[in-house]
Amino acid sequence: MSLFDLSGKVAIITGSSRGIGRAIAEAMADQGAKVVISSRKAEACAEAADAINAKHGEGRAIVVPANISSKEALQHLVDETRRQLGRIDILVCNAASNPYYGPMAGISDDQFRKILENNVIANHWIIQMVAPEMLERKEGSIIIVSSIGGLTASEVIGAYNISKAADFQLARNLASEFGPAGVRVNCIAPGLVRTDFARALWENPDTLKAVTRGTPMRRIGEPHEIAGAAVFLASPASTFMTGQAVIVDGGSTVGVGL
């Protein structure tokens, strides 16, 4: 068996109709997993699932749309996955929100609340929903897609960074709680990646120049470059790893010396 083999596993990936989430779903399907494509828009989910099924055969990907801001929608996602596929072995909490770009002084209460609810509390909800069966089987992998923003400061995405720092601690706490049963909880912390979600950052020439100048690889990432870390954290290759954050940022957090 390959260290990265996911044959027979079932993975839910939130926010997987595009960007990093879709890249993770495609990579896990490549390694043999059945994947659940989920985001708010059913048509976008269907397009992503159809592409996976065209490559691997019908049934490798199913669609269960869900808005992460709704606890009921997340419960439906979990219940429908169990109904169609029988179990949940892997959960990737990838979906997130960032409705505000600017200094903290200008953010509204509703915007700040939405960021915290969608990026932290929604992760807590869906983890609570899938964890019991993993704990009963004494096996499972939960992956939260955080960000290097949770390790650094920003004058334009400060609230988002606060939520991503909270995700690191959510993973650490749950790793401690679930560890005795063999269920692992880890984070991936991407740097700036060329996705629609991060478009406000990488489409700004000044921001892009500042980021790439301070990054050893002198470029931003692509969605598929994050997917390998998710496969690693879901697979037998990482069975002694929990409560950790895998940073995938082209070296930007180490910076470039003089």
Side-chain angles (χ1 to χ4, degrees):
M1 180 184 295
S2 164
L3 281 173
F4 303 98
D5 183 27
L6 298 177
S7 298
K9 302 297 185 182
V10 173
I12 292 176
I13 304 103
T14 65
S16 49
S17 64
R18 61 182 183 173
I20 291 172
R22 178 167 177 169
I24 289 172
E26 291 172 343
M28 288 189 174
D30 287 343
Q31 297 301 320
K34 291 184 177 180
V35 297
V36 183
I37 305 298
S38 185
S39 70
R40 289 179 300 156
K41 298 179 180 178
E43 289 185 3
C45 290
E47 192 277 325
D50 287 347
I52 291 172
N53 288 330
K55 182 177 182 180
H56 297 288
E58 198 63 32
R60 184 62 66 87
I62 67 167
V63 171
V64 186
N67 186 332
I68 59 169
S69 66
S70 166
K71 192 172 187 178
E72 291 74 21
L74 290 176
Q75 187 66 63
H76 173 73
L77 168 59
V78 171
D79 292 345
E80 188 62 16
T81 298
R82 290 190 180 123
R83 187 187 73 81
Q84 292 194 44
L85 301 178
R87 58 188 287 154
I88 300 164
D89 301 285
I90 301 158
L91 171 65
V92 182
C93 298
N94 169 70
S97 297
N98 186 33
Y100 177 75
Y101 186 86
M104 291 289 293
I107 193 169
S108 71
D109 289 348
D110 285 344
Q111 289 171 323
F112 204 170
R113 189 174 293 110
K114 181 177 182 179
I115 290 169
L116 295 177
E117 288 178 350
N118 285 1
N119 298 2
V120 185
I121 296 175
N123 291 342
H124 166 68
W125 284 341
I126 193 169
I127 291 169
Q128 279 190 317
M129 295 168 189
V130 305
E133 68 172 275
M134 294 181 177
L135 296 171
E136 184 177 353
R137 286 196 306 267
K138 298 188 180 302
E139 183 182 23
S141 177
I142 296 167
I143 302 162
I144 300 172
V145 179
S146 182
S147 168
I148 62 167
L151 302 169
T152 61
S154 171
E155 296 178 355
V156 290
I157 55 169
Y160 175 80
N161 286 2
I162 290 167
S163 73
K164 291 304 181 176
D167 279 334
F168 290 139
Q169 189 58 35
L170 179 62
R172 285 189 284 262
N173 267 51
L174 294 177
S176 176
E177 294 179 25
F178 298 167
V183 176
R184 301 176 296 109
V185 188
N186 291 287
C187 285
I188 300 171
L192 182 56
V193 176
R194 198 183 311 277
T195 64
D196 287 340
F197 184 84
R199 186 176 294 275
L201 294 172
W202 58 262
E203 273 198 341
N204 182 316
D206 293 334
T207 303
L208 182 61
K209 183 178 179 180
V211 169
T212 54
R213 183 176 60 241
T215 298
M217 296 190 75
R218 298 298 198 276
R219 63 177 178 87
I220 65 172
E222 302 295 336
H224 72 271
E225 294 181 298
I226 310 302
V231 170
F232 166 70
L233 291 174
S235 74
S238 62
T239 50
F240 196 51
M241 183 171 180
T242 195
Q244 304 304 312
V246 178
I247 297 173
V248 188
D249 69 347
S252 63
T253 47
V254 302
V256 178
L258 297 176

